[in-house]
Amino acid sequence: MVSEDQIQPAVQPARDFIDLIGLELDDVSADRVTAHLTVRPDLYQPFGILHGGVHCAIVETLASVAASVWFGEDGHVVGVANQTDFLRAVRSGELRAEALPVFRGRTQQLWSVQIWDEESRLAARGQVRLQNVRSTADLGRPA
């Protein structure tokens, strides 16, 4: 089991964003992350359904938290690709999501995330490829 001390460095940097969209992390480990989110009107796109960006954010967040917990004190992880498919429109209710590893290697990881509606129908699925970074000192700086 992963300790709270191992989870906090993975979750804390994203806490404001997680709180903003209302994502609740339920189970966090190096092998699986689950969460839920209550759909609200302020998360809709103009046609009254959940904005696809919320699905992308759930996918990215769960994959990043899980990858970060797995990589641990070896460094940080950064997402380099997020591919999310929207399968079912959602207007209300609670979503459940689960992230599972596909590949975890020395320099990169690939995580799969599925999101279900409250009737257990698959609403979206995605995958995130993450780079394992030993030092973040040079991230975002000109080459």
Side-chain angles (χ1 to χ4, degrees):
M1 189 67 178
V2 177
S3 74
E4 190 66 26
D5 289 342
Q6 293 170 294
I7 293 170
Q8 282 311 309
V11 174
Q12 197 55 45
R15 178 52 63 194
D16 288 343
F17 182 73
I18 290 170
D19 291 344
L20 179 70
I21 65 171
L23 185 63
E24 296 285 338
L25 299 175
D26 299 318
D27 181 46
V28 177
S29 76
D31 298 314
R32 177 177 177 256
V33 171
T34 62
H36 68 277
L37 177 137
T38 300
V39 177
R40 316 180 310 256
D42 62 319
L43 299 176
Y44 289 172
Q45 48 97 305
F47 300 108
I49 60 175
L50 187 65
H51 194 287
V54 175
H55 290 295
C56 292
I58 293 169
V59 168
E60 181 92 17
T61 300
L62 268 61
S64 295
V65 167
S68 182
V69 170
W70 180 80
F71 201 52
E73 294 181 6
D74 288 341
H76 303 278
V77 297
V78 292
V80 294
N82 177 335
Q83 195 276 314
T84 302
D85 298 310
F86 316 119
L87 305 172
R88 179 178 300 280
V90 178
R91 295 183 185 276
S92 63
E94 187 167 280
L95 298 177
R96 292 178 303 104
E98 177 183 54
L100 296 170
V102 176
F103 173 81
R104 295 181 289 195
R106 184 177 51 80
T107 61
Q108 63 181 324
Q109 300 180 51
L110 182 65
W111 286 79
S112 175
V113 180
Q114 294 191 346
I115 303 170
W116 298 273
D117 66 14
E118 62 186 9
E119 295 178 35
S120 297
R121 299 175 299 186
L122 190 60
R125 63 155 307 278
Q127 65 180 29
V128 177
R129 187 167 54 90
L130 301 110
Q131 187 72 34
N132 297 333
V133 179
R134 304 251 177 232
S135 170
T136 58
D138 293 326
L139 290 180
R141 295 180 189 223

